[in-house]
Amino acid sequence: MNWYRQSIRYLQGIGEKRAVALEKAGISFVEDLLTYFPRKYLDRSQISKIRQLRIGQNATVVGQVVDFRLFPGRRPRFVLRLADETGELNCVWFHGANYMKNVFQIGEVLAVHGKVRFFRGYQISHPEYDRLGTGKESESLHTGKIIPLYPSSKQLSEVNLDSRGFRRLLWSLLGDYSRQIEENLPPKVIAQYKLLSRRAALNAVHFPDSMEQLQDAQRRLKFEELFFLELMMAYRRLRWRRPEKGIAFERVGERTRHLVERLPFQLTEGQKQVLREIVADMKKPIPMNRLLQGDVGSGKTVVALVSMLIAVENGYQAALMAPTEILAEQHYLTFHHFLEGLGVRVALLIGNQSKKQRQEILEGIAHGKIEVVVGTHALIQEGVNFPKLGLVVIDEQHRFGVMQRAELCQKGYHPNVLVMTATPIPRTLSLTIYGDLDISILDEKPAERATIRTTWRFEDKRDDIYLFVRQQVLQGQQAYVVFPLVEKSEKMDLLAATESFEKLRTSIFKDIPMALLHGRLRSDEKEKIMNEFKAGNIKILVSTTVIEVGIDVPNATIMVIEHAERFGLTQLHQLRGRVGRGLQKSYCILIAKKPLATEAWKRLETMVRTNDGFKIAEVDLQLRGPGEFFGVRQHGLPNLKIADIISDSKILLEARRAAFELVESDPALKSDEHQAVRNYFLEHYQEKMELGKVA
Ligand code: ADP
Ligand code: MG
C-alpha cells in the first residue's frame, strides 16, 4: 500500500484517543493530515511590539500570559495581562467571562489580534487569539517567520490537537515523510504553469519561509485540486462524446418555420443565437448535452418548444420534465396550442391522472403516436416507454437531482439533452459545476417589459398594502399573495395560509373573486384554479410556493410575499419573476415579521436594490456559501480543501485548460510521464467517476 494511504494510527504521537478524534474529523490517512491546511498564518514581521502600539490600530501582538483574573458581578469581566519585552497589554472579555478563566495558563505564549484602545493602559477587548505554546516550545518549533494556525474543534482540543498540537504533529510528520512525497501532475504542466513541486508546496504551505513562498505553495495546491476536478469533468464529457452513439437530426424544415411564424412575437436575438447553438448540436451524430441558462422571464420555454419540434420533424419523440404539476400543465397548454395546429400530438403526463387516462397516454407514447410529452416526475416512472426518444428537456433543472435527469435520459438511446435553469451563476462556476455540459446563455430579456417596483415592509403596514392591492385590482390588475410552505412545518404553514386566505376573503377583498392554491389540492382542482386565474376570472390568487417557478400569466402585476424573511434569495427572485411579464408596471411587495435576522434583512435589501438575476445569485452565493448554493452533493462534486471556486476562478480556468488538453492528447493516460497522474486520479476519483456516469 502507498505510504500516504497509511492509517494515522501508526504515526508517532497518535494514540487511540487522538486517532478516534482525528478520524471523526475526517482525517484517517497520512495524506489527510498532510492536506490538513492551516486556516491562516501569523507573519512575525506583522507583529507589533506593545510599546509601539497606537490607539485605534488593528494590531497583532505576541506575548506571554503574566496574569489573569475574573471580576465577578452583574456584568462579569475577564482580564488577562500579556507581556512582551517592551510592555504589557490587557485583554478583556465580557461575554463568556466565566468560561475564559479556564482557558489559559500562566506563562504560555499567545498571539492576539484586535483593535487597540486605551483604558488604564493598552487594551484589546474580545481579541481573536491563538495559543502558540509555552515559551521555549514556541521558539523551537518555528525558526521561520511565519506561524501556521490550524483549525480545531472542541473534540480535537480535548486530545491536545489545538492549533499548536497540529503544528507539532505536522512538523514531525513532514520530517518523516517529506522525502516520499511524489509529484502527481505531468512535468509539462508543471513547467508550463510554473508550479512548485508537490513536495515543496506541501512543506511550504505548512511551514513557509516567506509570504511569497506561501503564495506559490498555495497556488500549486489549488491548481492541483482543481486540475483533478476538471480531469473528472473532462472524462465525463468524453463519455458523452463517443461519436457513434448519438442521433443526427438532419432536417430543420417547414414546420419549424411555420411555428416561428405563428408565434405572437419575434424571437429575440438571444433566443435565435441559442437556437442556432442547439440546432448545430442536434445535427451532429453526438448527443447534445447542453445547459440553457437564462434569468427568470428571459423566454426559455419557446426555445424548448422549437427544439422539440425539430426532434419531431426528424421522426423522433421529445419529452419535457418540469418540477411541479402546475408548471407541467402550463407548458402542456402552450405546447398544445402551438403544435397541434402543425399536426403534432402532444400529451400531458402527471401523477394524479385517472387510470384510464394514464393508460391511454402510455399506449400512445409506446406506439409512437404521441410525439411530444410534457410531464412531471411521472415521466420517469416504470411503464413509460418511448420507442424513439430523441430529445429530453429538463425545465428548472436545479429542482432535480442528477439521478432523475439520468433516469429520463435512459428512457431513450443516448437522446439529446437540454437542461434549463433560471439560477444564473458566473460563467467560470458553471464550467466547474456543469463542466460536462455545453452552456448557452440567454442574457437579454424580451425588450418590451415593464419595470417591477420592489419594496419591503414590516407587518404593521399590512393593511395599507392590501388596500393598495385592492385599488390596483379594482383597476383591472391581478395579484398573487404568497405564503411560505416548508416541509418541516408543512401542516402549520398550510393552516396559516388557509386562515389568512379566509380572513382576506371575508374582509378587505370580500367583493373580489379569489382562490387558494396549494400542492395538496387535486390536479383537476389546481388546473381549474390556474385556468380561471389565467382567464382573468380570479383576480387574486393566494398561494403557497407551488407557483414559485415557471408560471406565466402576463396580466398579473402584483406579487405580495408574506413572511418574506423566511424565503431564500433565489426563491424570492423566482417568485418576483411571476410579475413584470407584460407591458404593465408591476409591483413586488415583501412583508416581513419582526425580529429580522441580519441575513434576512440583507436578502430583502438586495431584492429592493436589484432585479438582475446574476447580481442576486452572487449575493446569495456570498450569504450561503457555495456548498449550500449549488447543492454540492447533488452534483457529485468533491469537497475542495484549499481552492475556492469563486475567488480562485483564474487558477480554475488554467487548471481546466491543462486537464482538457491532457485528456485530448493522451486519453488513456498511457505515456510514462502520465503514470503519476493516472495513479493519483484512479486512487482518488474513481468512485466519483462512477457517480458521474449517471449524469
Ligand atoms: P422563462 O425563461 O422564465 O421560462 P418564459 O419562457 O416563461 O420565461 O417567457 C416569459 C414570457 O415572455 C412569456 O409570456 C413568453 O410568452 C414571453 N416571451 C418569450 N419570448 C418572447 C419574445 N421574443 N418577445 C416577447 N415576449 C416573449
Ligand atoms: Mg420557465
Side-chain angles (χ1 to χ4, degrees):
M1 187 188 277
N2 276 318
W3 63 269
Y4 52 81
R5 281 282 168 186
Q6 255 171 37
S7 164
I8 49 163
R9 290 172 175 260
Y10 302 115
L11 296 176
Q12 239 185 11
I14 296 191
E16 179 64 20
K17 273 192 188 156
R18 276 193 162 186
V20 169
L22 283 168
E23 280 165 3
K24 269 208 184 121
I27 303 170
S28 308
F29 303 110
V30 170
E31 181 167 49
D32 300 331
L33 208 46
L34 280 178
T35 53
Y36 191 73
F37 299 118
R39 71 187 147 82
K40 67 174 188 184
Y41 300 84
L42 200 58
D43 183 351
R44 281 188 201 267
S45 67
Q46 305 290 321
I47 293 170
S48 308
K49 291 291 168 215
I50 292 176
R51 205 176 49 204
Q52 287 152 9
L53 289 177
R54 279 173 290 109
I55 312 295
Q57 174 193 4
N58 262 317
T60 302
V61 172
V62 171
Q64 246 182 348
V65 177
V66 285
D67 187 20
F68 52 73
R69 214 179 131 189
L70 175 71
F71 294 86
R74 215 161 43 85
R75 277 195 76 201
R77 162 169 65 103
F78 177 76
V79 181
L80 176 146
R81 272 197 304 144
L82 198 70
D84 68 5
E85 9 16 304
T86 68
E88 285 189 1
L89 166 76
N90 284 328
C91 299
V92 186
W93 282 265
F94 300 99
H95 307 299
N98 283 314
Y99 166 77
M100 296 308 291
K101 73 175 194 291
N102 299 320
V103 171
F104 302 103
Q105 285 166 25
I106 304 280
E108 77 173 312
V109 177
L110 299 185
V112 298
H113 179 84
K115 192 166 186 159
V116 179
R117 299 193 307 176
F118 198 85
F119 180 75
R120 298 181 193 149
Y122 289 120
Q123 172 182 310
I124 300 182
S125 45
H126 294 281
E128 282 176 48
Y129 66 91
D130 285 286
R131 309 173 66 195
L132 301 184
T134 53
K136 247 202 179 146
E137 176 189 53
S138 62
E139 288 304 315
S140 62
L141 244 180
H142 322 285
T143 41
K145 288 197 310 252
I146 299 165
I147 306 168
L149 302 175
Y150 291 88
S152 183
S153 66
K154 191 153 165 283
Q155 274 101 348
L156 288 167
S157 299
E158 274 165 11
V159 291
N160 272 331
L161 285 173
D162 50 9
S163 192
R164 171 172 59 136
F166 272 112
R167 205 152 50 234
R168 277 198 207 143
L169 196 57
L170 275 148
W171 180 259
S172 81
L173 188 71
L174 281 165
D176 293 345
Y177 283 94
S178 176
R179 295 193 32 213
Q180 298 181 56
I181 298 175
E182 288 158 5
E183 189 48 68
N184 59 2
L185 292 176
K188 237 176 94 182
V189 171
I190 300 267
Q192 186 178 349
Y193 295 95
K194 302 197 172 56
L195 301 172
L196 284 187
S197 75
R198 186 158 204 251
R199 181 185 305 164
L202 281 173
N203 272 291
V205 82
H206 291 290
F207 299 101
D209 291 330
S210 67
M211 278 323 223
E212 292 78 54
Q213 193 198 39
L214 173 62
Q215 271 167 15
D216 287 346
Q218 286 172 326
R219 174 162 170 270
R220 143 78 209 210
L221 294 167
K222 288 173 176 181
F223 189 102
E224 172 188 320
E225 194 166 49
L226 295 168
F227 175 86
F228 283 103
L229 175 68
E230 290 299 329
L231 198 59
M232 184 169 82
M233 293 300 176
Y235 279 115
R236 282 191 190 178
R237 179 188 286 241
L238 200 66
R239 193 151 42 207
W240 271 99
R241 294 280 149 137
R242 273 182 216 136
E244 68 279 17
K245 288 183 170 172
I247 306 161
F249 293 152
E250 323 239 287
R251 269 177 305 198
V252 179
E254 276 307 290
R255 284 198 283 183
T256 316
R257 257 188 296 280
H258 278 307
L259 170 63
V260 174
E261 277 162 19
R262 282 188 56 174
L263 292 175
F265 45 72
Q266 294 265 316
L267 291 177
T268 63
E269 272 315 305
Q271 285 167 326
K272 285 187 199 159
Q273 175 57 30
V274 168
L275 276 168
R276 276 194 287 273
E277 289 165 6
I278 290 172
V279 169
D281 276 2
M282 297 212 292
K283 282 188 171 167
K284 289 184 203 149
I286 313 165
M288 168 167 80
N289 196 24
R290 187 169 282 279
L291 168 73
L292 171 55
Q293 207 183 289
D295 202 355
V296 192
S298 59
K300 297 183 288 294
T301 313
V302 67
V303 173
L305 175 67
V306 175
S307 311
M308 290 169 88
L309 181 59
I310 294 173
V312 173
E313 277 199 292
N314 284 272
Y316 284 88
Q317 292 169 299
L320 179 144
M321 184 159 71
T324 64
E325 287 188 355
I326 295 175
L327 183 53
E329 163 90 14
Q330 174 186 289
H331 284 331
Y332 167 72
L333 292 176
T334 309
F335 286 23
H336 188 273
H337 173 77
F338 286 110
L339 294 181
E340 292 275 311
L342 300 167
V344 180
R345 286 284 311 276
V346 185
L348 174 71
L349 189 65
I350 52 180
N352 287 332
Q353 287 160 317
S354 74
K355 257 204 175 133
K356 183 163 159 276
Q357 212 177 359
R358 181 177 160 82
Q359 204 45 45
E360 254 178 51
I361 296 168
L362 292 187
E363 272 168 29
I365 297 174
H367 292 135
K369 277 192 222 126
I370 293 174
E371 297 156 297
V372 167
V373 187
V374 179
T376 55
H377 297 80
L379 281 171
I380 53 182
Q381 275 158 10
E382 266 182 54
V384 187
N385 298 310
F386 293 86
K388 289 198 87 178
L389 185 58
L391 173 65
V392 164
V393 181
I394 315 272
D395 194 20
E396 309 290 350
Q397 84 91 32
H398 57 281
R399 292 292 204 88
F400 294 99
V402 269
M403 295 298 190
Q404 291 166 322
R405 215 159 82 189
E407 277 175 73
L408 185 52
C409 295
Q410 274 155 14
K411 300 264 177 196
Y413 184 71
H414 298 285
N416 290 290
V417 179
L418 177 66
V419 300
M420 311 200 291
T421 182
T423 304
I425 50 180
R427 192 174 173 82
T428 52
L429 292 189
S430 42
L431 281 179
T432 333
I433 286 159
Y434 306 111
D436 49 342
L437 302 180
D438 292 303
I439 298 173
S440 291
I441 296 179
L442 209 46
D443 51 8
E444 102 189 279
K445 287 189 194 179
E448 292 180 4
R449 287 285 166 82
T451 51
I452 305 175
R453 185 162 166 225
T454 306
T455 47
W456 78 265
R457 295 283 180 268
F458 280 118
E459 285 185 300
D460 52 359
K461 293 287 181 323
R462 183 177 284 125
D463 290 348
D464 298 344
I465 292 167
Y466 283 125
L467 207 58
F468 171 77
V469 173
R470 182 184 167 80
Q471 284 161 359
Q472 292 289 312
V473 168
L474 291 180
Q475 285 167 28
Q477 307 302 311
Q478 285 176 278
Y480 296 97
V481 177
V482 176
F483 284 84
L485 191 147
V486 292
E487 239 168 88
K488 259 195 308 197
S489 52
E490 198 179 321
K491 267 199 186 139
M492 294 294 292
D493 286 349
L494 194 54
L495 191 68
T498 313
E499 275 175 5
S500 305
F501 169 71
E502 284 305 328
K503 212 169 126 200
L504 291 171
R505 194 172 66 100
T506 51
S507 58
I508 183 156
F509 299 140
K510 63 177 182 297
D511 50 345
I512 293 174
M514 53 194 293
L516 175 67
L517 182 71
H518 57 79
R520 289 286 184 86
L521 295 176
R522 284 203 322 267
S523 299
D524 55 337
E525 290 172 321
K526 282 190 254 184
E527 192 183 321
K528 187 161 163 260
I529 292 174
M530 273 322 289
N531 288 342
E532 292 282 295
F533 187 61
K534 249 181 207 175
N537 299 332
I538 290 174
K539 298 293 179 196
I540 300 178
L541 187 63
V542 177
S543 163
T544 57
T545 34
V546 286
I547 58 144
E548 177 184 332
V549 289
I551 298 304
D552 184 46
V553 180
N555 194 46
T557 54
I558 302 164
M559 168 63 65
V560 178
I561 304 178
E562 287 274 2
H563 285 290
E565 78 284 350
R566 285 178 57 188
F567 290 87
L569 202 41
T570 304
Q571 228 182 349
L572 288 173
H573 182 60
Q574 282 272 4
L575 283 168
R576 174 169 57 186
R578 298 313 116 219
V579 297
R581 296 187 155 240
L583 301 176
Q584 304 267 23
K585 176 163 177 139
S586 297
Y587 300 88
C588 174
I589 307 165
L590 310 169
I591 304 180
K593 197 179 162 75
K594 283 179 191 165
L596 203 54
T598 318
E599 298 235 320
W601 179 82
K602 277 189 195 153
R603 291 196 290 268
L604 299 178
E605 286 291 318
T606 305
M607 284 293 291
V608 170
R609 205 164 349 114
T610 177
N611 189 24
D612 178 334
F614 269 88
K615 293 209 181 102
I616 289 190
E618 260 165 36
V619 178
D620 202 17
L621 197 61
Q622 277 167 12
L623 290 178
R624 287 200 288 161
E628 276 266 318
F629 182 84
F630 298 119
V632 170
R633 231 176 288 137
Q634 181 194 322
H635 294 290
L637 288 184
N639 277 327
L640 296 175
K641 284 186 175 178
I642 189 166
D644 177 324
I645 43 180
I646 302 160
S647 51
D648 298 321
S649 62
K650 194 168 155 243
I651 305 178
L652 173 66
L653 288 178
E654 291 175 345
R656 178 179 172 83
R657 192 180 329 131
F660 275 64
E661 277 170 13
L662 176 65
V663 171
E664 196 146 297
S665 70
D666 182 10
L669 302 179
K670 273 200 217 115
S671 83
D672 281 349
E673 75 235 42
H674 298 153
Q675 284 321 292
V677 181
R678 186 190 155 90
N679 292 339
Y680 188 88
F681 185 68
L682 289 179
E683 214 158 296
H684 293 80
Y685 288 83
Q686 187 130 328
E687 259 170 59
K688 298 195 173 85
M689 279 302 286
E690 295 308 314
L691 182 63
K693 237 177 218 168
V694 301

